[in-house]
C-alpha cells in the first residue's frame, strides 16, 4: 500500500515538474540553511574532550584587590588566572591525580639545516602531568617524566607540524633541537592534536590551534620566560626586574588544571584550596572573601561564554528560516491539492475512504520532504564550505548527528506543512465535483 | 475573503519574514558601522615590521636602544619610505596592553589601552591633532626613578578618551594617574580619531600615546609610512635591509590593510551571511505569494469570467487581486512589526543582535509591501486575460 502511495506521489510530482521543483527546492533551502548553522553552532559548542571533561577542573582563587572585583560586570567572579606564586603554592598539593600549571610563550627554534632561518613557535610551559591528564596522543615517544619537571631537564615535546618543519616526517625522539640559546632533547612528538574549543586555554583565543612545542614549566624562572597570553594586574607594582614584575607580583597570568576523579577527592582538594587561601590571608594577602572555584571543562567553557554570540543568533535565525519555508510549503500544497479536487471527488465516489485520501496526500508531502532533505543536506555541504571560506576556518564537516537532525526537521516540516492541506482535500464532498465533470 | 486559512498563511509568512530581515539588516548596519569607523591610521600606506631577536646581546638595554635608533634611521632612508617610528603594539590586531587610570579629581578608574611610541609618531600614523601639541624631544627625556618606573610623563590621548575621562571638554593640560599618586601623566595633545588594538567599542577608540622606548629583548616593532602606492615596493626590500643591519633576528612584515582584514574577518563574513539570508527570505516569500495568488486565480477562473461577462473591466479584475494582496501583506506586516520587536528582544537576551531601529522596520515594511505587489502582479495580470465567455462554457 505504502509503495503504491509513493508511486502515486511520484506520478503527481512528475505531472507538474516546475511546481514540484519549487516545492522540493523550498524544503531543500530551508534544510540546508538550518542544518548548516546548527552544525556550526554545534562545532563551536561541542565538548572537546567528552570522556574525561567532568573530571578535569580549572582552578581559580580570588587574590584580587580588596577594593574592587576582578570583573566589575560580574563581581562574584574570581580572577580568570593565578599569580605565579599561587600557582607554585597550589602545585605542592598531592591530592589531584594529575595537576599542571601552565602558560604560553613564543620561543625561537633554530633548525639544524643552515638554509632554514630560525623561526618562532608558540610554546606551552607545563608540567609532566599535562600529557596524561589531557590524554594527548603521541606519534613517537611520550611526554616527559615527573622527575624531569624537578630538574628541570632540557626536554621538549613537539607537535607533529613543528617536527615536520624542523626535521621532516621522521621519528626524532632522542634528537636534539636548539631552543633560544640551549639544546634540548626531543622526548615525544604528538599526533596532530587540535581540541576545539581549545578548552585548556580559552582566555587567549578559544579557537586557536594548539601550541607547536611544550617544555617544562620550571624553565620560567631561570630563563625569565614571559607569557604571550593575557596578564591582568591590580594596584601598583614597583620594580622592573622579571622577579619583581612576574614572580612576586600580584599579576595573574598562570592557568592551572587538575584531575579529580571523584567527589571525595574533589572535597579534599577544595579543603586544601581553602586552607591555602587561609594561609595567605594570614600573610596579609587575599583580603577578599573566600571565592575559590573548581570548574570542570563544560562549566568553564560556559562561564567564559566560548560560543560566539553571533553563532547562536545565526542558529536561531536559520531555524526561523526553515519555518518560513514550511509556511510556503503549506500554501503551495494547499493550492496544488485543491486544484485536484475533481479527481479526488471521482476517487471518493469510486469508494476511496477519507482515510486513504488523507494518507495518500501525506505520503506525497513526505516524498517532497525526503527529496528536499536529501538535496538540502547536499546543499549544506556546499554552504559549509562557503562559510568556512568566509570565516577563514577549515574542515567544518557535517556531523552524523546533524544529518539526523536535518532528516527529522525535514520529516517534521513536511508533516506539519502537509497535515492541513491533506485534511482539506480528504474532506471534499464527492458529489459537488462529480457534477462538474 | 474566499479562503481564510490561505489568507493567514501568507500573512504569517510575510510577518515572519519581516521580523527576520529587519533583525538581519539591523545587525548588518551595526557591523558595517564598526567596520567603516575611521581608524586614524593612514591605512593604505602603513607597514608593520616586527623584529624578534635571538641573540643574547639584546638583553643589554644600551645595545637595544642603539639598534632601534639605527634601524629607524635605516628604514627612513629607504626609497619610498616617508617616516618610521617604533611602537609597542600593532593596531587592529586584538593584542595590546591597557592600564587602569583615573582622571584628575575623580576616583572612577577606566581601562586605558595605550601605545608606547618614539618621536614622530603622529606624523607616521597620519592622525590629526585637534588640540594641544605633538610630542617634542623633551617629552622623551624622562628618567625612571629609583623604583624603576616613570612617575610623570606628557601624553597624547584620542578625543574619545579625552571626552570619556573629562566629559566637560577640558582635558587638555589635565592629568590622569593610577589613583595612588605613583603615576601622573599630563595630557599635552588630543588627536582624532585614533583606534587601538581592541575591537569592541568604545574601548577600541579610547587610546593613549605614551612617549618612550617600546620593545624589549624578545621583540621590537616598527611602523613604516610609505609614499602613496609604494607600500609593496618598500615591503619587498625590508627584511633584507634589516637583516643586513643585524641578522640575529626574525623579521616579519605586515601591511595594515592585511591586519585589518584579519581583524574584521568574522565581521565581514557575518555581514555577507546575513545579507544572503535576507535575500533568500524575501525570495522565498515572494515565491510563496506568486504561488498562492496563482492558485487563487486558477480557482476563481469561472468567477472572473462571470464578472467580466457582467461588465467588469480588466482594470477592475486587476484591482481586485492587487487589493486582496495588499490586504494580506498589510495584515502580515502589522503582525510582523510586533514579531520583529519580539524577536529582537529574544535575540538581545539569548545572543547578540543590534537594537531594533524603527526606521529600519518602516523601510522593511515598504520593501515587503512592494515585493508583494510585484509578486502578485504576474498572476493578477493573468486573471485579467480570462475571457468572459469562460463563464458560459461548462454550464
Amino acid at each position: 500500500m505504502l509503495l503504491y502511495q509513493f508511486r502515486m506521489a511520484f506520478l503527481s510530482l512528475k505531472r507538474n515538474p516546475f511546481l514540484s521543483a519549487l516545492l522540493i527546492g523550498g524544503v531543500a533551502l530551508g534544510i540546508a540553511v538550518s542544518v548548516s548553522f546548527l552544525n556550526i553552532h554545534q562545532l563551536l559548542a561541542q565538548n572537546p574532550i567528552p570522556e574525561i571533561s567532568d573530571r578535569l577542573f580549572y582552578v581559580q582563587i580570588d587574590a584580587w584587590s580588596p577594593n574592587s572585583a576582578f570583573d566589575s560586570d560580574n563581581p562574584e567572579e574570581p580572577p580568570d588566572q593565578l599569580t605565579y606564586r599561587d600557582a607554585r603554592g597550589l602545585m605542592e598539593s598531592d591530592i589531584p591525580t594529575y595537576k599542571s600549571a601552565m602558560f604560553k610563550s613564543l620561543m625561537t627554534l633554530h633548525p639544524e639545516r643552515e638554509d632554514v632561518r630560525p623561526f618562532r613557535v608558540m610554546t606551552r610551559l607545563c608540567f609532566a602531568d599535562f600529557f596524561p591528564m589531557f590524554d594527548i596522543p603521541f606519534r613517537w615517544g611520550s611526554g616527559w617524566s615527573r622527575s624531569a619537571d624537578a630538574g628541570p631537564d632540557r626536554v621538549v615535546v613537539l607537535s607533529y607540524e613543528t617536527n615536520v618543519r624542523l626535521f621532516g616526517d621522521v621519528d626524532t625522539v632522542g634528537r636534539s633541537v636548539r631552543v633560544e640559546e640551549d639544546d634540548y632533547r626531543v622526548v615525544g612528538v604528538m599526533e596532530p592534536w587540535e581540541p576545539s574549543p581549545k578548552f585548556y586555554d580559552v582566555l587567549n583565543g578559544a579557537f586557536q590551534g594548539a601550541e607547536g612545542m611544550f617544555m617544562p614549566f620550571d624553565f620560567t624562572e631561570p630563563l625569565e620566560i614571559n607569557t604571550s597570553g593575557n596578564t591582568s594586574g591590580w594596584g601598583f607594582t614597583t620594580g622592573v626586574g622579571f622577579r619583581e614584575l612576574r614572580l612576586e607580583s600580584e599579576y595573574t597570568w598562570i592557568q592551572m588544571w587538575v584531575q579529580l576523579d571523584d567527589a571525595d577527592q574533589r572535597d579534599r582538594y577544595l579543603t586544601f584550596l581553602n586552607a591555602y587561601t587561609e594561609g595567605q590571608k594570614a600573610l596579609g594577602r587575599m583580603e577578599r572573601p573566600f571565592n575559590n572555584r573548581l570548574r570542570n571543562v563544560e562549566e568553564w567553557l560556559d562561564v567564559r561564554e566560548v560560543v560566539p554570540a553571533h553563532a547562536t543568533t545565526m542558529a536561531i535565525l536559520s531555524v526561523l528560516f526553515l519555518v518560513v519555508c514550511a509556511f510556503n510549503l503549506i500554501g503551495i500544497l494547499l493550492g496544488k491539492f485543491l486544484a485536484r479536487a475533481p479527481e479526488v471527488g471521482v476517487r471518493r465516489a469510486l469508494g476511496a475512504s477519507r482515510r486513504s485520501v488523507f494518507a495518500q496526500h501525506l505520503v506525497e508531502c513526505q516524498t517532497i520532504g525526503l527529496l528536499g532533505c536529501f538535496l538540502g543536506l547536499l546543499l549544506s555541504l556546499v554552504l559549509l564550505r562557503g562559510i568556512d571560506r568566509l570565516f577563514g576556518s577549515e574542515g567544518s564537516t557535517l556531523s552524523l548527528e546533524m544529518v539526523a537532525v536535518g532528516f527529522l526537521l525535514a520529516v517534521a516540516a513536511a508533516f506539519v506543512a502537509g497535515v492541513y492541506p491533506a485534511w482539506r482535500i480528504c474532506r471534499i464532498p464527492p458529489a459537488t465535483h462529480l457534477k462538474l465533470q | 475573503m474566499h479562503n481564510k486559512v490561505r489568507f493567514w498563511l501568507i500573512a504569517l509568512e510575510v510577518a515572519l519574514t519581516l521580523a527576520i530581515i529587519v533583525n538581519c539588516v539591523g545587525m548588518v548596519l551595526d557591523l558595517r558601522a564598526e567596520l567603516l569607523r575611521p581608524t586614524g591610521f593612514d591605512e593604505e600606506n602603513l607597514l608593520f615590521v616586527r623584529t624578534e631577536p635571538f641573540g643574547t646581546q639584546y638583553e643589554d638595554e644600551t645595545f637595544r636602544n642603539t639598534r632601534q635608533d639605527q634601524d629607524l634611521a635605516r628604514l627612513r632612508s629607504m626609497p619610498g619610505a616617508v617616516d618610521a617610528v617604533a611602537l609597542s603594539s600593532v593596531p587592529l590586531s586584538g593584542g595590546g596592553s591597557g592600564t587602569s587610570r583615573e582622571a584628575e579629581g575623580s576616583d572612577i578608574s577606566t581601562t586605558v589601552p595605550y601605545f608606547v611610541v618614539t618621536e614622530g609618531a603622529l606624523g607616521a600614523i597620519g592622525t590629526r591633532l585637534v588640540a594641544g601639541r605633538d610630542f617634542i624631544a623633551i617629552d622623551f627625556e624622562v628618567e625612571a626613578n629609583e623604583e624603576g618606573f616613570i612617575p610623570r610623563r606628557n601624553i597624547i590621548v584620542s578625543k574619545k578618551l579625552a571626552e570619556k575621562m573629562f566629559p566637560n571638554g577640558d582635558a587638555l593640560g589635565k592629568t590622569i594617574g593610577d589613583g595612588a599618586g605613583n603615576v601622573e601623566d599630563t595630557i599635552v595633545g588630543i588627536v582624532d580619531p585614533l583606534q587601538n588594538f581592541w575591537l569592541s567599542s568604545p574601548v577600541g577608540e579610547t587610546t593613549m600615546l605614551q612617549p618612550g622606548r617600546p620593545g624589549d629583548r624578545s621583540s621590537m616593532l616598527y611602523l613604516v609610512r610609505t609614499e602613496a602606492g609604494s607600500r609593496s615596493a618598500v615591503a619587498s626590500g625590508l627584511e633584507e635591509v634589516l637583516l643586513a643591519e643585524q641578522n640575529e633576528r626574525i623579521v616579519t612584515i605586515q601591511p595594515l590593510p592585511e591586519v585589518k582584514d584579519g581583524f574584521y574577518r568574522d565581521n565581514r563574513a557575518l555581514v555577507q551571511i546575513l545579507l544572503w539570508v535576507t535575500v533568500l527570505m524575501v525570495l522565498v516569500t515572494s515565491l510563496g505569494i506568486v504561488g498562492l495568488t496563482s492558485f487563487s486565480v486558477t480557482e476563481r477562473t469561472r468567477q472572473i469570467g462571470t464578472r467580466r461577462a457582467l461588465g467588469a473591466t480588466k482594470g477592475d479584475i486587476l484591482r481586485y487581486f492587487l487589493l486582496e494582496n495588499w490586504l494580506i501583506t498589510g495584515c502580515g506586516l502589522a503582525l510582523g512589526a510586533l514579531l520583529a520587536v519580539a524577536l529582537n528582544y529574544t535575540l538581545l537576551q539569548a545572543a547578540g543582535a543590534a537594537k531594533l531601529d524603527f526606521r529600519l522596520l518602516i523601510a522593511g515594511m515598504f520593501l515587503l509591501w512592494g515585493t508583494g505587489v510585484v509578486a502578485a502582479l504576474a498572476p493578477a495580470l493573468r486573471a485579467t486575460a480570462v475571457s468572459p465567455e469562460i463563464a458560459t462554457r461548462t454550464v
Side-chain angles (χ1 to χ4, degrees):
Chain A
M1 188 65 190
L2 198 65
L3 214 65
Y4 165 75
Q5 284 174 335
F6 268 115
R7 222 175 62 222
M8 289 287 288
F10 275 112
L11 280 178
S12 156
L13 288 177
K14 255 166 68 183
R15 208 179 318 165
N16 191 341
F18 174 73
L19 194 65
S20 305
L22 209 67
L23 286 166
I24 294 169
V27 176
L29 205 58
I31 291 295
V33 169
S34 53
V35 164
S36 297
F37 287 106
L38 287 174
N39 193 62
I40 285 175
H41 189 267
Q42 191 205 23
L43 283 177
L44 295 173
Q46 71 188 348
N47 183 342
I49 182 163
E51 306 81 27
I52 45 173
S53 68
D54 57 341
R55 286 182 285 148
L56 299 178
F57 293 90
Y58 189 75
V59 183
Q60 288 172 279
I61 58 180
D62 201 342
W64 205 249
S65 155
N67 301 321
S68 61
F70 170 70
D71 178 356
S72 49
D73 294 331
N74 298 297
E76 74 288 354
E77 272 296 303
D80 51 16
Q81 298 183 97
L82 300 174
T83 63
Y84 182 81
R85 49 177 156 176
D86 290 330
R88 279 250 90 94
L90 298 184
M91 280 304 289
E92 297 296 318
S93 164
D94 284 328
I95 299 167
T97 312
Y98 295 119
K99 57 182 188 293
S100 179
M102 60 187 83
F103 68 97
K104 67 170 186 178
S105 181
L106 275 168
M107 301 291 235
T108 307
L109 288 186
H110 301 262
E112 284 172 334
R113 293 164 49 190
E114 288 296 321
D115 57 327
V116 183
R117 278 197 59 80
F119 62 91
R120 308 200 91 191
V121 64
M122 194 53 87
T123 302
R124 184 149 295 260
L125 285 102
C126 57
F127 286 84
D129 284 4
F130 183 86
F131 308 98
M133 177 162 61
F134 295 148
D135 232 349
I136 291 172
F138 277 87
R139 175 156 299 199
W140 296 297
S142 64
W144 58 80
S145 64
R146 280 184 176 173
S147 60
D149 277 337
D153 295 354
R154 290 215 172 116
V155 290
V156 292
V157 163
L158 301 178
S159 73
Y160 180 70
E161 291 81 357
T162 307
N163 190 58
V164 168
R165 192 161 171 195
L166 278 173
F167 302 105
D169 186 11
V170 288
D171 181 354
T172 53
V173 171
R175 284 175 74 169
S176 120
V177 54
R178 200 167 140 230
V179 181
E180 302 284 334
E181 304 304 315
D182 302 300
D183 287 330
Y184 291 71
R185 188 166 48 85
V186 177
V187 293
V189 176
M190 291 159 48
E191 291 281 0
W193 184 67
E194 298 285 337
S196 176
K198 185 181 170 186
F199 66 94
Y200 62 88
D201 185 3
V202 292
L203 303 172
N204 301 297
F207 296 95
Q208 278 180 8
E211 289 75 14
M213 186 168 77
F214 299 80
M215 62 191 275
F217 185 87
D218 280 358
F219 282 110
T220 310
E221 289 197 43
L223 298 184
E224 302 198 346
I225 301 170
N226 209 338
T227 180
S228 300
N230 288 323
T231 300
S232 307
W234 56 274
F236 193 77
T237 309
T238 59
V240 286
F242 183 77
R243 176 158 293 282
E244 294 97 322
L245 277 176
R246 287 282 147 187
L247 307 183
E248 292 168 356
S249 69
E250 291 290 351
Y251 281 169
T252 60
W253 54 291
I254 308 285
Q255 303 156 1
M256 181 157 172
W257 285 91
V258 294
Q259 179 175 325
L260 304 167
D261 293 315
D262 54 43
D264 172 56
Q265 201 179 9
R266 202 179 153 185
D267 287 345
R268 280 187 293 138
Y269 192 66
L270 254 179
T271 314
F272 160 75
L273 276 186
N274 291 343
Y276 175 81
T277 323
E278 201 65 70
Q280 292 299 311
K281 282 178 187 292
L283 295 173
R285 291 180 67 219
M286 304 195 188
E287 295 171 51
R288 297 181 67 74
F290 270 120
N291 193 7
N292 300 330
R293 305 285 178 103
L294 283 177
R295 283 168 167 143
N296 70 26
V297 174
E298 291 204 278
E299 288 165 345
W300 181 232
L301 295 184
D302 218 38
V303 168
R304 297 301 310 177
E305 294 176 352
V306 163
V307 181
H310 64 73
T312 313
T313 306
M314 287 312 304
I316 296 175
L317 290 179
S318 70
V319 172
L320 287 177
F321 184 81
L322 179 66
V323 171
V324 171
C325 289
F327 267 107
N328 224 4
L329 193 61
I330 306 180
I332 301 179
L333 281 175
L334 201 57
K336 184 178 159 72
F337 288 177
L338 289 180
R340 206 190 287 159
E343 180 196 324
V344 172
V346 175
R347 286 188 60 197
R348 292 272 286 116
L350 292 176
S353 67
R354 266 189 190 166
R355 180 192 291 257
S356 80
V357 169
F358 182 72
Q360 168 61 45
H361 286 90
L362 260 194
V363 166
E364 187 169 336
C365 297
Q366 285 307 335
T367 311
I368 292 165
L370 291 177
L371 287 173
C373 168
F374 182 69
L375 207 65
L377 288 175
L378 287 182
L379 198 59
S380 71
L381 289 177
V382 181
L383 257 178
L384 281 174
R385 281 291 143 277
I387 294 169
D388 262 355
R389 183 180 294 176
L390 279 179
F391 281 102
S393 53
E394 53 186 274
S396 298
T397 49
L398 199 56
S399 67
L400 219 60
E401 211 179 324
M402 275 302 139
V403 173
V405 168
F407 176 78
L408 287 179
L409 280 177
V411 169
F415 181 78
V416 171
V419 163
Y420 177 72
W423 179 78
R424 275 295 299 273
I425 189 73
C426 81
R427 310 268 307 169
I428 293 284
T432 40
H433 289 280
L434 280 179
K435 264 191 263 172
L436 287 171
Q437 295 292 314
Chain B
M1 188 45 54
H2 203 71
N3 186 327
K4 269 191 208 143
V5 172
R6 209 182 298 164
F7 179 102
W8 283 111
L9 271 176
I10 299 217
L12 266 176
E13 189 176 337
V14 168
L16 259 178
T17 304
L18 179 69
I20 296 175
I21 67 169
V22 165
N23 277 288
C24 281
V25 175
M27 272 190 275
V28 166
L29 291 181
D30 248 31
L31 292 165
R32 295 270 309 159
E34 210 166 63
L35 195 76
L36 295 175
R37 284 181 299 185
T39 58
F41 287 83
D42 179 19
E43 293 171 31
E44 281 310 311
N45 303 312
L46 291 185
L47 289 168
F48 289 92
V49 186
R50 189 177 286 286
T51 70
E52 296 168 302
F54 42 81
T56 44
Q57 52 205 14
Y58 280 86
E59 279 163 25
D60 174 33
E61 196 183 335
T62 323
F63 175 87
R64 220 159 54 215
N65 291 348
T66 316
R67 182 74 268 133
Q68 193 171 61
D69 292 339
Q70 284 171 359
D71 281 348
L72 286 174
R74 186 70 190 82
L75 289 171
R76 285 192 198 105
S77 74
M78 284 184 73
V82 176
D83 206 351
V85 291
L87 78 170
S88 53
S89 342
V90 181
L92 309 182
S93 68
S97 308
T99 177
S100 179
R101 286 283 189 269
E102 292 174 8
E104 172 182 347
S106 151
D107 58 356
I108 302 163
S109 74
T110 308
T111 301
V112 179
Y114 64 93
F115 293 105
V116 180
V117 294
T118 56
E119 207 172 343
L122 291 197
I125 289 171
T127 185
R128 200 164 48 97
L129 191 70
V130 291
R133 61 168 177 84
D134 193 353
F135 288 131
I136 48 176
I138 199 164
D139 297 329
F140 293 88
E141 290 161 10
V142 283
E143 291 283 324
N145 64 12
E146 65 278 5
E147 284 179 274
F149 63 92
I150 301 165
R152 304 282 180 270
R153 250 190 283 231
N154 290 332
I155 55 163
I156 292 177
V157 297
S158 71
K159 191 165 171 232
K160 287 265 166 65
L161 180 62
E163 282 167 356
K164 185 171 181 191
M165 301 201 78
F166 300 94
N168 298 332
D170 52 353
L172 198 65
K174 290 272 170 46
T175 65
I176 60 174
D178 69 334
N182 292 307
V183 168
E184 260 167 28
D185 296 333
T186 309
I187 299 173
V188 297
I190 299 175
V191 291
D192 187 49
L194 188 61
Q195 278 190 46
N196 51 62
F197 28 77
W198 287 337
L199 176 62
S200 56
S201 185
V203 72
E205 292 158 275
T206 58
T207 314
M208 169 165 89
L209 294 176
Q210 260 182 9
R213 273 283 183 190
D216 55 31
R217 72 188 163 100
S218 63
S219 172
M220 274 195 232
L221 180 71
Y222 302 120
L223 165 67
V224 181
R225 187 174 182 185
T226 66
E227 284 162 12
S230 46
R231 194 187 72 212
S232 14
V234 174
S236 64
L238 260 173
E239 183 175 2
E240 218 170 303
V241 164
L242 285 178
L243 289 183
E245 289 278 303
Q246 209 274 333
N247 79 343
E248 285 199 305
R249 51 185 174 172
I250 299 162
V251 176
T252 29
I253 297 152
Q254 255 194 317
L256 185 54
E258 212 173 86
V259 181
K260 193 177 182 183
D261 272 357
F263 195 50
Y264 284 114
R265 179 161 217 160
D266 284 10
N267 182 314
R268 274 179 216 271
L270 209 55
V271 165
Q272 288 209 28
I273 289 172
L274 287 167
L275 285 177
W276 270 105
V277 168
T278 307
V279 169
L280 283 177
M281 289 289 296
V282 174
L283 202 71
V284 165
T285 306
S286 52
L287 280 179
I289 295 174
V290 172
L292 278 164
T293 319
S294 292
F295 280 115
S296 141
V297 169
T298 316
E299 205 180 39
R300 270 175 263 178
T301 305
R302 281 159 42 76
Q303 182 197 334
I304 296 164
T306 314
R307 284 193 57 197
R308 290 278 280 127
L310 291 175
T313 62
K314 287 190 175 190
D316 288 335
I317 302 295
L318 186 67
R319 228 169 291 132
Y320 167 75
F321 278 101
L322 287 185
L323 200 70
E324 181 182 88
N325 173 265
W326 290 351
L327 214 64
I328 299 178
T329 37
C331 287
L333 291 176
L335 196 64
L338 294 178
L339 266 181
V341 175
L343 179 63
N344 189 250
Y345 180 78
T346 316
L347 286 178
L348 281 173
Q349 295 287 311
K355 201 149 172 28
L356 190 66
D357 182 346
F358 282 90
R359 283 168 304 177
L360 201 62
L361 189 61
I362 305 290
M365 290 170 95
F366 271 108
L367 173 82
L368 280 182
W369 182 78
T371 309
V373 172
V374 172
L377 206 58
L381 282 173
R382 200 156 52 79
T384 63
V386 170
S387 112
E389 59 173 314
I390 204 158
T392 59
R393 228 182 247 165
T394 50
V395 177

